[in-house]
Amino acid sequence: MSSSTHPIVILAVLGAVATVIMLITVFRVRSWGLKVLLVLIALMTLTPAGLVVYAMHPEWMDARYRSYKAFYEGIRLGMTREEVMALQTQLYPEGGPRQKPQIIIEDEKGLTFFMHPEHSTEPNCEGIFLGFENGKLKSKTYSPD
């Protein structure tokens, strides 16, 4: 199976390179008008790189992701189901700023959480998949949207 780089990533890298070139050029030109124009163009060419970084790290801008990823990081192998639910209650208290993750699947072998979208339609499938064996957590997987 082969994988290729997504075109937006290539565009982001080219934009970042163009930004560096334009910012270097700003120091070489004498006209203030041209300097301002080059800085504005540099900012526009940097936009795709900013979008790629935001897509890769949404927790930098959105508290829902920070809370959800803190919940995932707090889950440790060997925990019981009750300990996982206690951690959820600790990180998502009743009346708190975040709504607790929705339990999608719950059975003796596993537990699946999806991040609550709160007041947005996105994300709609950011998931935590937990596997239990003999009452103890044996595996955990984080699935981004």
Side-chain angles (χ1 to χ4, degrees), residues 22-23 26 34-44:
M22 289 195 196
L23 291 177
V26 164
L34 188 55
K35 286 181 187 237
V36 169
L37 179 64
L38 287 172
V39 168
L40 291 175
I41 293 172
L43 289 175
M44 288 188 334

Side-chain angles (χ1 to χ4, degrees), residues 102-119:
Q102 301 166 337
I103 298 174
I104 303 300
I105 300 172
E106 182 175 13
D107 58 27
E108 66 278 348
K109 292 190 177 197
L111 191 56
T112 301
F113 296 96
F114 276 6
M115 184 168 77
H116 196 291
E118 297 183 7
H119 305 295

Side-chain angles (χ1 to χ4, degrees), residues 2-141:
S2 69
S3 64
S4 61
T5 305
H6 194 279
I8 191 71
V9 174
I10 295 169
L11 186 61
V13 169
L14 291 175
V17 169
T19 299
V20 169
I21 291 169
M22 289 195 196
L23 291 177
I24 290 170
T25 307
V26 164
F27 293 105
R28 300 182 67 90
V29 297
R30 295 178 192 260
S31 167
W32 279 99
L34 188 55
K35 286 181 187 237
V36 169
L37 179 64
L38 287 172
V39 168
L40 291 175
I41 293 172
L43 289 175
M44 288 188 334
T45 60
L46 195 57
T47 301
L51 293 174
V52 167
V53 169
Y54 176 70
M56 293 174 67
H57 301 285
E59 66 272 12
W60 290 354
M61 301 293 281
D62 193 336
R64 294 175 301 162
Y65 287 94
R66 284 191 297 274
S67 298
Y68 194 64
K69 288 186 176 186
F71 175 50
Y72 176 75
E73 293 299 323
I75 298 171
R76 300 283 179 236
L77 296 179
M79 290 176 85
T80 64
R81 186 178 304 265
E82 292 76 26
E83 291 172 328
V84 171
M85 297 311 287
L87 177 65
Q88 181 190 30
T89 302
Q90 176 187 353
L91 294 174
Y92 293 93
E94 289 295 322
R98 304 268 68 90
Q99 293 182 20
K100 64 181 168 179
Q102 301 166 337
I103 298 174
I104 303 300
I105 300 172
E106 182 175 13
D107 58 27
E108 66 278 348
K109 292 190 177 197
L111 191 56
T112 301
F113 296 96
F114 276 6
M115 184 168 77
H116 196 291
E118 297 183 7
H119 305 295
S120 173
T121 58
E122 293 292 331
N124 56 4
C125 60
E126 195 91 5
I128 296 174
F129 303 94
L130 306 177
F132 289 91
E133 188 177 297
N134 299 325
K136 300 284 186 179
L137 183 64
K138 291 294 178 189
S139 67
K140 70 176 191 171
T141 304

